[in-house]
């Protein structure tokens, strides 16, 4: 697989970088943190106008026909600025699940609206017992007349605050296998509670108390939702890892600059050999993380589902831990200023901590890797 950017991908990278450098400085982000949830609507429209929301959507439905590589390019640059708008939850996780599992009519109706930014769609799949993994699912759909009534809970729904519609994973009583349902508008019995996360982003907790839906709300075929959900999660996991690469890159750059200007005993502290060694360790971890991201991209493009799943779990585990290490070292090398809310380096560490718990924690993915390896060795 060729990881060098072609001319169009280079233009895409440059456009996102210019935007975050110009319009998403640290002070601007702080103002957004204090002023609302998950950024601003006009910023989201900028994403749409620049084609970032449609980059990886099929051309037949209003997209640009790009691949996961375009998603990675965008996510990495957004990570450098800790962008608050829900690109990961709405433009990647929910959108790619819809691409994989929706009927032709559903995709033709919804995907163009996702591409132009007029519709925000969030995916509610995580539950307290699943801890960010696709299974198990406790949300039940009880048969009621020609439709169903939903009972249960979804937690930490990415991109849900401000979303116009929800995709929800559910276990229907009369259909084996996982199903996905599409909820548009208001529903009696659905309680949506917005919650802030440690990094300043917002999610929602959803409580379903007999929410009534018709069979037309089913996304694609009933009982066939797990494969679509896994496809959406694969894209989102790689995008989140790419975002963390951007987080680590910026942390290294900011820390290196600080070591050049901070003086002690009349010299820049960057001249101290012990601190140079720590920076070298951080840079080495970043290079390993980049290599693992490339392995994940290749696996999504080429591997069978079982092998892809194991590679993605290994990637999420390694990159999450690398991000926490690098950002934590960045705080230490800044000293006391790194612990303050008024300085940017601590915000990168907060993002690394929250990202580790999203889409399955490093520990959950490590357990998944161990289980897959054990099954392979026992076969």
């Amino acid at each position: 697989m060729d990881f060098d950017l072609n001319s169009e991908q280079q233009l895409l990278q440059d456009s996102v970088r210019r935007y975050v450098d110009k319009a998403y400085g640290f002070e601007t982000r702080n103002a957004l943190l204090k002023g609302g949830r998950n950024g601003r609507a006009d910023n989201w429209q900028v994403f749409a106008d620049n084609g970032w929301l449609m980059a990886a959507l099929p051309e037949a439905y209003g997209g640009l026909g790009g691949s996961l590589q375009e998603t990675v390019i965008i996510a990495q640059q957004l990570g450098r600025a800790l962008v608050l708008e829900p690109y990961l939850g709405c433009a990647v996780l929910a959108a790619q699940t819809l691409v994989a599992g929706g009927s032709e009519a559903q995709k033709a109706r919804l995907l163009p609206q996702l591409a132009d930014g007029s519709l925000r769609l969030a995916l509610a799949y995580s539950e307290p017992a699943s801890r960010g993994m696709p299974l198990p699912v406790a949300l039940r759909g009880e048969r009621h007349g020609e439709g169903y009534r939903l009972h249960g809970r979804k937690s930490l729904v990415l991109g849900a605050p401000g979303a116009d519609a929800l995709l929800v994973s559910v276990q229907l009583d009369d259909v084996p296998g996982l199903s996905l349902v599409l909820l548009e508008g208001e529903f009696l019995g659905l309680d949506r509670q917005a919650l802030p996360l440690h990094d300043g982003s917002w999610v929602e907790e959803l409580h379903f108390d007999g929410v009534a839906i018709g069979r037309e709300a089913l996304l694609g075929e009933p009982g066939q939702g797990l494969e679509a959900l896994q496809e959406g999660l694969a894209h989102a996991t790689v995008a989140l890892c790419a975002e963390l690469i951007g987080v680590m890159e910026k942390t290294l750059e900011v820390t290196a600059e600080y070591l050049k200007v901070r003086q002690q005993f009349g010299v820049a502290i960057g001249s101290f050999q012990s601190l140079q060694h720590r920076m070298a360790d951080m840079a080495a971890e970043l290079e390993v993380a980049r290599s693992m991201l490339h392995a994940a991209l290749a696996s999504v493009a080429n591997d069978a589902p079982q092998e892809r799943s194991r590679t993605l779990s290994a990637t999420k585990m390694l990159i999450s831990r690398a991000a926490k290490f690098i950002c934590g070292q960045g705080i230490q090398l800044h000293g006391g200023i790194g612990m303050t809310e008024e300085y940017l380096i601590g915000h990168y560490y907060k993002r690394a901590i929250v990202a580790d718990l999203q889409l399955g924690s490093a520990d959950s993915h490590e357990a998944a890797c161990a289980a897959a390896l054990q099954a392979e060795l026992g076969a």
Side-chain angles (χ1 to χ4, degrees):
M1 196 173 177
D2 184 7
F3 296 110
D4 290 331
L5 302 184
N6 59 38
S7 59
E8 292 181 351
Q9 290 171 335
Q10 187 64 59
L11 288 172
L12 174 62
Q13 183 185 72
D14 293 343
S15 72
V16 185
R17 176 73 70 91
R18 283 195 302 270
Y19 169 77
V20 298
D21 287 346
K22 180 179 179 181
Y24 231 102
F26 181 62
E27 295 301 326
T28 302
R29 183 180 184 274
N30 274 350
L32 288 176
L33 280 175
K34 298 172 184 177
R37 299 174 180 176
N38 287 345
R40 292 168 46 182
D42 54 347
N43 286 346
W44 191 254
Q45 193 57 51
V46 171
F47 291 10
D49 293 342
N50 282 292
W52 304 340
L53 303 183
M54 64 179 72
L57 297 180
E59 290 184 84
Y61 305 107
L64 297 178
S67 67
L68 183 54
Q69 285 183 281
E70 279 71 27
T71 299
V72 162
I73 291 168
I74 296 168
Q76 184 175 345
Q77 298 307 312
L78 297 182
R80 289 176 59 87
L82 300 177
V83 167
L84 295 168
E85 282 71 26
Y87 176 77
L88 176 69
C90 297
V92 183
L93 178 58
Q96 292 300 326
T97 302
L98 175 60
V99 170
S103 67
E104 288 299 314
Q106 289 167 331
K107 289 188 286 188
R109 180 170 65 87
L110 297 172
L111 287 177
Q113 298 179 66
L114 297 183
D116 65 18
S118 60
L119 174 71
R120 285 197 198 184
L121 178 67
L123 173 64
Y125 80 95
S126 181
E127 299 181 1
S130 70
R131 297 180 180 273
M133 307 300 275
L135 296 172
V137 172
L139 183 69
R140 313 298 299 185
E142 299 177 352
R143 192 61 186 264
H144 180 77
E146 295 298 316
Y148 299 91
R149 289 193 179 274
L150 307 182
H151 297 271
R153 174 184 172 193
K154 294 294 182 182
S155 61
L156 302 177
V157 183
L158 299 178
D164 307 297
L166 299 168
L167 281 180
V168 183
S169 62
V170 58
Q171 185 66 58
L172 302 178
D173 284 349
D174 60 344
V175 180
L178 189 69
S179 297
L180 295 171
V181 297
L182 176 65
L183 305 182
E184 300 178 87
E186 300 293 329
F187 284 85
L188 186 65
L190 173 59
D191 179 47
R192 299 174 61 169
Q193 181 182 5
L195 298 173
L197 299 182
H198 191 51
D199 63 350
S201 62
W202 288 73
V203 295
E204 280 189 356
E205 295 278 324
L206 306 180
H207 296 267
F208 297 83
D209 185 15
V211 174
I213 62 169
R215 291 188 65 86
E216 70 278 0
L218 289 169
L219 186 78
E221 294 297 321
Q224 303 298 313
L226 181 58
E227 185 176 343
L229 177 57
Q230 289 173 329
E231 188 68 23
L233 284 170
H235 282 252
T237 299
V238 176
L240 179 56
C241 289
E243 180 189 340
L244 289 176
I245 295 294
V247 166
M248 289 185 273
E249 287 177 347
K250 190 66 175 182
T251 297
L252 272 169
E253 293 171 12
V254 170
T255 305
E257 186 62 31
Y258 180 78
L259 296 184
K260 292 177 185 178
V261 299
R262 176 70 167 92
Q263 291 199 347
Q264 196 172 33
F265 309 118
V267 297
I269 62 175
S271 64
F272 300 162
Q273 191 176 57
S274 61
L275 302 190
Q276 293 173 2
H277 288 173
R278 292 173 75 169
M279 285 293 293
D281 289 342
M282 294 162 67
E285 286 289 328
L286 175 56
E287 289 307 311
V288 173
R290 282 198 184 106
S291 297
M292 201 67 203
L293 178 63
H294 291 166
L297 278 167
S299 183
V300 170
N302 301 311
D303 289 345
Q306 186 174 0
E307 180 62 26
R308 182 185 74 172
S309 178
R310 187 168 69 176
T311 300
L312 290 177
S313 285
T315 301
K316 178 61 163 60
M317 174 185 69
L318 186 147
I319 292 181
S320 291
R321 290 175 176 171
K324 290 195 294 183
F325 169 76
I326 289 174
C327 296
Q329 289 293 304
I331 289 179
Q332 291 196 22
L333 290 172
H334 277 80
I337 192 175
M339 300 294 294
T340 64
E341 284 290 313
E342 292 74 20
Y343 196 71
L344 75 168
I345 197 68
H347 294 265
Y348 284 89
Y349 182 69
K350 288 182 179 181
R351 179 58 190 143
I353 293 296
V354 170
D356 175 40
L357 300 177
Q358 292 176 332
L359 307 182
S361 68
D363 291 343
S364 296
H365 283 286
E366 183 177 38
C369 285
L373 182 60
Q374 186 176 24
E376 181 180 324
L377 294 176

